Amino acid sequence: MSDSVPEGEVPQPVPAADPGVPAEAEPGPAYDPAAPAPLNVPRVPTGNADVDARLDRLADADHLATDGHVEVYEDVHRGLRDELTALDVRQGPPAPALARPPLGGAPNPTAGPQ
């Protein structure tokens, strides 16, 4: 004999859920690491409007699941790299002329004192 069911009592089957009535949702995990969540990383303005616009784009990652962050980070990285490259291309003031040797020519380092 079994201790779980008293003698003479027959266990009743659990009725199947009615397809027209929604079943109670099973509780999901309280924390989903892949769910979108703001990172709350402060972004300090640099003073360069183009760079600041690129950095502001990082806020878009706050609304994406973690698998969407890579696209945003790569876009921001590409934009910042382009901004740095543009600094090298921009024309600045002309470089100062190089100093010329005296009219007598450069001294001969192998010659003795004169």
Side-chain angles (χ1 to χ4, degrees), residues 12-110:
Q12 298 295 319
V14 176
D18 183 9
V21 177
E24 289 186 37
E26 291 185 24
Y31 173 71
D32 181 7
L39 299 175
N40 296 322
V41 176
R43 288 179 288 281
V44 179
T46 64
N48 181 314
D50 294 329
V51 171
D52 290 341
R54 302 288 184 179
L55 294 176
D56 287 343
R57 167 98 165 88
L58 291 172
D60 293 345
D62 289 349
H63 309 291
L64 299 172
T66 53
D67 60 351
H69 289 191
V70 173
E71 182 180 341
V72 173
Y73 295 156
E74 287 178 349
D75 181 50
V76 171
H77 181 255
R78 185 174 28 258
L80 291 173
R81 190 177 56 233
D82 291 347
E83 291 299 325
L84 285 173
T85 302
L87 290 174
D88 291 339
V89 175
R90 291 184 188 147
Q91 295 296 324
L98 297 175
R100 296 179 187 229
L103 290 176
N108 185 348
T110 58

Side-chain angles (χ1 to χ4, degrees), residues 1-12:
M1 295 230 163
S2 170
D3 292 335
S4 63
V5 178
E7 193 174 320
E9 223 177 279
V10 178
Q12 298 295 319

